[in-house]
Amino acid sequence: MLSDRLQGKVALVTGGTSGIGAGTVERLAREGAKVVFTGRNADAGKEVADRSGATFVQHTVDEPSDWPELMARIAKDHGRLDIAFANAGSEKGDSNVEDISIEGWNGVIGVNQTGVMLTVQNAIRAMKNNPDGPTGSIIVNSSMNAHRAMGNFLAYSVSKAAVVALAKSAAIHCGNQGYKIRVNAILPGVVETAMISNLIESSEDPAATRAAYAGMSPLKRMANVDEVAAFVAYLGSDEASFISGADLVIDGATTAGMMGL
């Protein structure tokens, strides 16, 4: 049985209509938080909202003009913000360093890097105005590829490394300002989202493809979505009150070192 450790807290999740984002929306809500989540897909947003009881707002994470209305709504409806999960991400148009177009580069960097910056920036501004003073927890969804770049996903790899530095910079800033606002980055390994499951099932040899994904980790499996969502919930809770400025891997030891022969 889940705890109610997030009771009374208000959370924002970007990119909450699928995958890790959707799983986190549901997990935070089950632990007692009032959750507002964003995304572009209204139909998927409605499905997640119906399942979780959370509030969906259609929103473009890397569009600065979309942010004031969203934050005003959270302030009006809830009067505070305690948790922000900067989760929205994209790989669309990515490629290797020789072949990527400037449009592909700008698109991925826009969502994965500028979108994260805008999420963190607006979350801090909102958390500063909490009735009990500047307090809260911001979690940035990076990737193990921040440490192990991919040759065929240049912009994704670069952006995921960059947002680790962004989280650390924001954490230092908040501490220096005297805010009780924590900022951390999580670095998931391969997570069996619906997208990954579909890729496996549509491959020529699903068993071999599944084994390849699972074999990336010394634990010989992929993470499930709720394992990552549980990590976010922990970092958003008061139990993690002295964790800030960290980059925390959740990858089954994939990036710990070489597995050997």
Side-chain angles (χ1 to χ4, degrees), residues 129-195:
N129 293 322
N130 282 342
D132 47 346
T135 182
S137 176
I138 301 169
I139 303 101
V140 170
N141 196 6
S142 177
S143 166
M144 68 176 180
N145 299 118
H147 295 327
R148 298 289 187 271
M150 295 182 287
N152 57 337
F153 286 90
L154 171 71
Y156 182 87
S157 300
V158 169
S159 66
K160 292 302 184 179
V163 295
V164 171
L166 191 157
K168 291 176 180 291
S169 178
I172 294 166
H173 167 77
C174 288
N176 285 342
Q177 294 298 310
Y179 307 153
K180 294 179 181 178
I181 299 172
R182 299 179 291 107
V183 189
N184 293 288
I186 63 167
L187 285 66
V190 180
V191 181
E192 191 169 3
T193 60
M195 182 183 74

Side-chain angles (χ1 to χ4, degrees), residues 200 203-215:
I200 291 171
S203 68
E204 290 185 6
D205 188 341
T209 304
R210 175 172 290 278
Y213 278 120

